[in-house]
């Protein structure tokens, strides 16, 4: 059975967004050790799971990076753009993105089906929506890598999706 991984950046006290969805605490100036760690996580992945809200920014951003060979993140852009993606949504009727299908069924059932298919690892990229928190709460992830930003934020949204 395929491995399911959940990757999310969160604060030391376990929060992933501000009360209005702000994610300005996230760290992007990664050192080589963290870059290698993330590369090791994503290398064996051939399926990315996203919620609709995260997908609406994630997919176009990485497609623009993949379209520019001079971009310092070009290799990552190609990986994310070329990798099969499953977007959980209740509102979209069709996918506007390449290599992407929509999932409208029960999250547990859909992820269980994906895990039973042949293939490499599956990664869920965490956002503030229901997909990442449901994957965690339902304990379907075999590996839960997270990057802790060394700040404490109160009055922000925890990974479980419930406000404090």
């Amino acid at each position: 059975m395929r491995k399911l991984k959940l990757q999310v950046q969160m604060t030391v006290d376990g929060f992933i967004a501000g009360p209005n969805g702000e994610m300005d605490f996230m760290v992007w100036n990664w050192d080589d050790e963290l870059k290698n760690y993330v590369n090791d996580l994503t290398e064996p992945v051939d399926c990315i799971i996203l919620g609709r809200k995260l997908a609406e920014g994630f997919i176009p951003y990485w497609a623009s990076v993949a379209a520019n060979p001079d971009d310092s993140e070009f290799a990552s852009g190609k990986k994310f753009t070329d990798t099969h993606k499953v977007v959980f949504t209740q509102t979209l009727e069709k996918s506007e993105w390449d290599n992407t299908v929509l999932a409208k069924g029960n999250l547990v059932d859909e992820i269980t089906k994906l895990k039973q298919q042949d293939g490499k690892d599956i990664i869920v990229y965490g956002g503030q929506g229901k997909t990442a928190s449901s994957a965690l709460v339902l304990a379907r992830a075999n590996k839960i890598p997270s990057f802790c930003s060394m700040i404490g934020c109160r009055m922000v949204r925890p990974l479980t999706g419930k406000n404090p």
Side-chain angles (χ1 to χ4, degrees), residues 73-85:
E73 295 184 298
F74 177 74
S76 296
K78 289 293 288 173
K79 170 73 174 178
F80 295 139
T81 301
D82 294 345
T83 300
H84 174 71
K85 289 167 284 299

Side-chain angles (χ1 to χ4, degrees), residues 1 11 15 22 26 40 53 57 59 62 70-71 74 83-84 89 92 101 103 105 133 151 153 160 162:
M1 187 176 284
T11 63
F15 292 90
E22 305 90 352
M26 294 175 73
D40 291 346
K53 290 178 186 175
I59 296 172
W62 287 112
D70 295 328
D71 193 299
F74 177 74
T83 300
H84 174 71
T89 180
L92 296 178
V101 297
S133 58
I151 60 170
C153 296
T160 58
K162 297 176 186 167

Side-chain angles (χ1 to χ4, degrees), residues 1-158:
M1 187 176 284
R2 300 164 82 181
K3 254 189 209 169
L4 178 68
K5 303 173 182 179
L6 169 63
Q7 181 179 322
V8 63
Q9 284 197 43
M10 68 178 68
T11 63
V12 174
D13 53 355
F15 292 90
I16 61 165
N20 298 310
E22 305 90 352
M23 294 173 33
D24 53 354
F25 68 91
M26 294 175 73
V27 176
W28 297 111
N29 57 341
W30 297 355
D31 62 17
D32 288 339
E33 184 178 0
L34 184 53
K35 287 177 188 175
N36 291 335
Y37 175 73
V38 171
N39 187 58
D40 291 346
L41 283 173
T42 57
E43 177 53 35
V45 166
D46 69 356
C47 181
I48 298 171
I49 295 176
L50 303 162
R52 178 199 42 92
K53 290 178 186 175
L54 183 58
E56 288 173 338
F58 181 98
I59 296 172
Y61 171 77
W62 287 112
S64 71
V65 170
N68 180 5
D70 295 328
D71 193 299
S72 63
E73 295 184 298
F74 177 74
S76 296
K78 289 293 288 173
K79 170 73 174 178
F80 295 139
T81 301
D82 294 345
T83 300
H84 174 71
K85 289 167 284 299
V86 177
V87 174
F88 280 86
T89 180
Q90 297 301 313
T91 58
L92 296 178
E93 294 302 319
K94 65 178 186 149
S95 172
E96 302 289 328
W97 308 294
D98 292 337
N99 299 325
T100 306
V101 297
L102 303 180
K104 294 179 161 273
N106 176 279
L107 187 127
V108 175
D109 294 341
E110 295 280 353
I111 289 177
T112 299
K113 285 182 209 172
L114 287 170
K115 285 181 69 175
Q116 292 172 346
Q117 293 173 1
D118 289 335
K120 297 180 180 180
D121 294 349
I122 303 166
I123 194 161
V124 179
Y125 283 109
Q128 57 181 317
K130 297 175 189 170
T131 304
S133 58
S134 295
L136 177 63
V137 170
L138 296 170
R140 292 285 190 206
N142 302 106
K143 230 181 184 183
I144 306 174
S146 60
F147 314 130
C148 288
S149 299
M150 298 308 289
I151 60 170
C153 296
R154 279 296 182 225
M155 297 306 295
V156 293
R157 187 172 298 157

